[in-house]
Amino acid sequence: MTKPLDPQPNSDAPNPGIIFETLNLHQRSAALHAAIELDLFSAIARGHRTVEALTEHLKTDQRATRILCDFLVIAGFLTKDNETYGLPPVSAEFLDRASPKYVGSIAKFMNSPDLLEAFKDIAQVVRTGTTTLSRDGTTATEYAGWIEFARSMAPIMMPAAMFMADMATRERPGAVRVLDIAAGHGMFGVALARKNPQAAIVALDWAPVLEVARENAAAAGIEDRYTLLPGDAFEVDYGGPYDVVLVTNFLHHFDPATCEKGMRKIADALAPAGLVLTLEFVPDENRIEPPIGASFAFTMLGTTPKGDAYTFAEYDAMWQRVGLTKSRMVDVPNSGQRLIFTQR
Amino acid sequence: MTKPLDPQPNSDAPNPGIIFETLNLHQRSAALHAAIELDLFSAIARGHRTVEALTEHLKTDQRATRILCDFLVIAGFLTKDNETYGLPPVSAEFLDRASPKYVGSIAKFMNSPDLLEAFKDIAQVVRTGTTTLSRDGTTATEYAGWIEFARSMAPIMMPAAMFMADMATRERPGAVRVLDIAAGHGMFGVALARKNPQAAIVALDWAPVLEVARENAAAAGIEDRYTLLPGDAFEVDYGGPYDVVLVTNFLHHFDPATCEKGMRKIADALAPAGLVLTLEFVPDENRIEPPIGASFAFTMLGTTPKGDAYTFAEYDAMWQRVGLTKSRMVDVPNSGQRLIFTQR
């Protein structure tokens, strides 16, 4: 029924469609967030596979449910066969609440009202060079969002946490004292403690966030080797010396001078043969690859006063300035992140 | 310097990265909007091609400018060669203010605070079945956003307007009376008047919006054949009879009963051999193709009480119910939209 009357005159000509589409991409974030909140993927997994069945099960509006589901097909999170919706592998594995790999909880932190607010006026951020969020954005002392972060982000960090636990145990086996800086959900230290039964973990974070880490340590059955160190990572006495220090998704929030202040404290608390493991979004020197690492700088632009995604050369130079001269980096499999190994 | 220690264990396994990326897509809309607002593309076109040069020219922050530019490379709107940024064809043609095809103004309407607000709680929209915007969203009487729309969206509609003018003139040449329903910027009627020197246009919209259409008609030198009909499209007397009626991006805002109310008024005002041209986002019967048409329903979900992207079969049935029995549809070249021809 549909056919072009005219052949497209200059089909190689640039098409402004990508501009229109990009300005609308915020709608994709909103659709996925809503579907997770409504638990739509679990409903489809349980066999509610038509608009009518979903509407009845979720107690939603029929037209709205149909529009949301079709949009999720376009976005790659549902399949559609005639009038029946299904789950592609990524949704079945990560968005069905019954799956052991469920990560839907990340939506609550990543698209929280605060974090969305941070991207409302990026032109102003680029003019002033700092977040439009009040005070220090997500780096404000005891920013409440980190409790939501700790509760919601653990699942998506599990592959990196397990990889890091393997690496730490391979490099520093046996009885080790481990400091987990800005532990958050605590899963990096907890994974290490599970992998190495002789590891003792000291988890540092603000007290209300550490409550979540403590719960996770208890759930993993390693609480007898798990110590809480509440406070500000730039102020509190680390104790030590430590054989392994975990610095996970922490340094990107700060400018280089602040990073070095923290790194100096870490170097001072490190045993002579100690190892620092830094897990980060690290772009290549061109800062445009890999896309997930490079684009993370934009998240820091919106949400922090002076944060960034630093390159390996930048991290290496910062560690050198605090006396840790040997750094090397590996990619974390199945993750957009990278792991930097640093020693004296 | 970077190499995986372990080969990826299940590289065909689903990767949750797309979930993380999709929840962050709102940042791409924000980045493009900011770059247009800062007129970054024009600055690069004028030769300010490094972070330092851009920062000085735009009076912006250096770190923030660098992060924005790198993110725009990742999103496809800039190129980067060593430390020098450039414009890919789509940006040079449509985002440089000096280009005759500049469409950057669309950002102001598409990412206006109102339209972003509409997507803040889609879960609630799906529960209730209607927009969370106050009153009737973008269909509220004299919604002020339509003035911004009229001022900003004309450029991106030009290819469709010229195609429609060609079609209308081919089908109904000579002295014709044309009614342009919800004229907005007026460019559909204006393009027709330029193509056919014997066409007389009656432009219907709310009075403040028609002011923009009047300006565009004057700029095109066709104001002697251009009459304003201010008012609500569902209430005002259309006059007539008309040889051609243009119904452009109007019906998608309403539920089928409201659409039919408007269509009946159009049918009553149409000359016996008259032609209705409906320009719309029209998804295929499966409602998931073409993506741009199908995803437009989601825009209507967020911003209107009961709007939708209707299929050709649905439009055809609605026109038949008001007595216009012959409809056919063509794709508009270089556009995600389609044009429906309807007659008695």
Side-chain angles (χ1 to χ4, degrees):
Chain A
M1 142 236 323
T2 298
K3 58 181 172 55
L5 273 191
D6 284 352
Q8 232 169 263
N10 298 299
S11 58
D12 286 342
N15 186 317
I18 188 182
I19 298 166
F20 190 87
E21 282 171 35
T22 300
L23 291 171
N24 271 341
L25 282 177
H26 67 96
Q27 297 184 7
R28 289 206 186 193
S29 304
L32 180 56
H33 181 94
I36 290 168
E37 184 179 337
L38 293 166
D39 212 9
L40 176 77
F41 301 102
S42 304
I44 292 173
R46 298 294 84 69
H48 309 281
R49 295 166 66 108
T50 62
V51 168
E52 292 69 22
L54 285 165
T55 298
E56 192 183 328
H57 180 72
L58 299 174
K59 304 192 191 325
T60 52
D61 174 80
Q62 187 158 325
R63 159 185 156 277
T65 303
R66 184 250 302 157
I67 291 176
L68 176 64
C69 287
D70 286 338
F71 192 57
L72 291 166
V73 174
I74 295 165
F77 295 100
L78 292 182
T79 60
K80 187 178 188 182
D81 182 13
N82 290 314
E83 299 301 312
T84 304
Y85 297 100
L87 301 181
V90 70
S91 300
E93 193 153 336
F94 299 109
L95 295 174
D96 169 10
R97 237 174 240 280
S99 163
K101 293 192 179 171
Y102 179 73
V103 300
S105 56
I106 66 171
K108 216 163 174 178
F109 175 76
M110 287 183 61
N111 285 0
S112 69
D114 270 8
L115 293 204
L116 291 178
E117 177 72 25
F119 293 93
K120 272 185 130 171
D121 193 355
I122 289 296
Q124 182 63 6
V125 172
V126 175
R127 285 185 205 107
T128 63
T130 196
T131 180
T132 55
L133 293 180
S134 61
R135 296 171 35 239
D136 294 328
T138 59
T139 66
T141 306
E142 309 226 343
Y143 170 67
W146 293 123
I147 302 168
E148 186 66 64
F149 174 87
R151 294 214 180 274
S152 69
M153 292 293 279
I156 204 158
M157 291 303 165
M158 283 313 294
M162 291 170 72
F163 178 78
M164 198 166 168
D166 285 351
M167 291 296 111
T169 305
R170 181 189 297 186
E171 300 274 331
R172 293 293 183 280
V176 287
R177 291 195 70 202
V178 179
L179 175 63
D180 186 2
I181 306 256
H185 41 67
M187 294 314 294
F188 294 106
V190 168
L192 204 167
R194 292 189 63 174
K195 179 78 185 177
N196 174 356
Q198 293 180 271
I201 317 294
V202 175
L204 185 164
D205 213 316
W206 291 317
V209 181
L210 278 183
E211 196 47 40
V212 183
R214 196 193 56 73
E215 288 169 21
N216 287 331
I222 55 100
E223 70 269 43
D224 56 322
R225 293 180 281 131
Y226 204 79
T227 309
L228 305 184
L229 178 57
D232 182 316
F234 296 102
E235 305 297 339
V236 74
D237 181 0
Y238 290 179
Y242 294 98
D243 304 297
V244 177
V245 180
L246 310 181
V247 194
T248 56
N249 294 318
F250 175 65
L251 295 169
H252 55 233
H253 295 97
F254 309 104
D255 65 10
T258 309
C259 286
E260 275 186 50
K261 186 179 166 193
M263 289 161 141
R264 196 169 301 278
K265 279 176 66 79
I266 291 166
D268 290 348
L270 194 67
L275 173 69
V276 182
L277 290 173
T278 307
L279 181 76
E280 270 295 347
F281 294 95
V282 184
D284 292 346
E285 296 304 314
N286 66 13
R287 291 189 189 273
I288 54 174
E289 289 163 322
I292 196 171
S295 68
F296 189 77
F298 192 75
T299 302
M300 292 300 99
L301 176 64
T303 59
T304 68
K306 297 280 174 195
D308 211 334
Y310 297 105
T311 64
F312 175 77
E314 289 170 329
Y315 276 122
D316 187 26
M318 288 191 269
W319 283 120
Q320 290 200 32
R321 283 196 286 275
V322 302
L324 305 187
T325 59
K326 285 182 286 184
S327 288
R328 65 191 169 88
M329 182 166 76
V330 300
D331 288 336
V332 178
N334 292 312
S335 157
Q337 297 211 280
R338 288 162 163 182
L339 187 60
I340 300 175
F341 298 68
T342 303
Q343 297 169 263
R344 260 178 237 288
Chain B
M1 142 238 321
T2 301
K3 56 181 174 55
L5 274 190
D6 284 352
Q8 232 169 264
N10 299 299
S11 58
D12 287 342
N15 185 319
I18 188 182
I19 298 166
F20 190 86
E21 284 172 31
T22 299
L23 291 171
N24 272 341
L25 282 178
H26 67 96
Q27 298 184 7
R28 289 205 186 194
S29 304
L32 180 56
H33 180 95
I36 290 169
E37 184 179 336
L38 294 166
D39 210 9
L40 176 78
F41 301 103
S42 305
I44 292 173
R46 299 292 86 69
H48 308 281
R49 295 164 67 107
T50 62
V51 168
E52 292 70 21
L54 286 166
T55 297
E56 194 184 326
H57 180 71
L58 299 174
K59 303 192 192 327
T60 52
D61 175 80
Q62 188 159 326
R63 159 185 156 277
T65 303
R66 185 250 301 156
I67 292 175
L68 176 64
C69 288
D70 286 338
F71 192 58
L72 290 167
V73 175
I74 294 165
F77 294 101
L78 292 182
T79 60
K80 188 179 188 183
D81 182 12
N82 290 313
E83 299 302 311
T84 304
Y85 297 100
L87 302 181
V90 70
S91 300
E93 194 154 336
F94 300 110
L95 295 174
D96 168 11
R97 237 175 240 280
S99 163
K101 293 191 179 169
Y102 180 73
V103 300
S105 57
I106 66 171
K108 216 163 174 177
F109 175 76
M110 287 183 61
N111 285 0
S112 69
D114 270 10
L115 293 205
L116 292 178
E117 177 72 25
F119 294 92
K120 273 185 129 171
D121 192 354
I122 289 295
Q124 182 63 8
V125 172
V126 175
R127 286 184 204 105
T128 63
T130 196
T131 180
T132 54
L133 292 180
S134 61
R135 297 173 31 241
D136 293 328
T138 59
T139 65
T141 305
E142 309 227 343
Y143 171 67
W146 293 123
I147 301 169
E148 187 66 64
F149 175 86
R151 293 213 180 275
S152 69
M153 292 293 279
I156 206 158
M157 290 303 166
M158 282 312 295
M162 289 169 72
F163 178 77
M164 198 165 167
D166 285 350
M167 290 297 112
T169 305
R170 182 190 297 187
E171 300 274 331
R172 293 293 183 280
V176 287
R177 291 195 71 204
V178 178
L179 175 63
D180 186 2
I181 305 255
H185 40 67
M187 294 315 293
F188 294 106
V190 168
L192 203 167
R194 290 188 65 174
K195 180 78 185 177
N196 175 356
Q198 293 181 271
I201 316 295
V202 175
L204 185 164
D205 213 317
W206 291 317
V209 182
L210 278 184
E211 195 47 39
V212 183
R214 195 191 56 73
E215 288 168 21
N216 287 330
I222 56 98
E223 70 268 44
D224 55 322
R225 292 180 281 131
Y226 205 78
T227 309
L228 306 184
L229 178 58
D232 182 317
F234 295 103
E235 304 298 338
V236 74
D237 181 359
Y238 289 177
Y242 293 97
D243 304 297
V244 177
V245 179
L246 310 181
V247 194
T248 57
N249 294 318
F250 174 66
L251 295 169
H252 55 233
H253 295 96
F254 308 103
D255 66 9
T258 309
C259 286
E260 275 186 49
K261 186 179 164 192
M263 288 161 141
R264 194 169 303 277
K265 279 176 67 76
I266 291 166
D268 290 347
L270 194 67
L275 172 69
V276 182
L277 290 174
T278 307
L279 181 77
E280 271 295 348
F281 294 95
V282 184
D284 293 346
E285 295 305 313
N286 65 13
R287 291 189 190 273
I288 55 174
E289 288 163 323
I292 196 172
S295 68
F296 190 78
F298 192 74
T299 303
M300 292 300 99
L301 176 64
T303 59
T304 68
K306 296 282 174 194
D308 211 335
Y310 297 104
T311 64
F312 175 77
E314 288 171 328
Y315 276 122
D316 188 27
M318 287 191 269
W319 284 120
Q320 291 200 32
R321 282 197 287 275
V322 302
L324 304 187
T325 59
K326 285 181 285 185
S327 288
R328 66 194 168 87
M329 182 167 75
V330 299
D331 288 336
V332 178
N334 292 311
S335 158
Q337 297 211 281
R338 288 165 163 180
L339 187 60
I340 300 174
F341 298 68
T342 303
Q343 299 168 263
R344 259 177 239 288

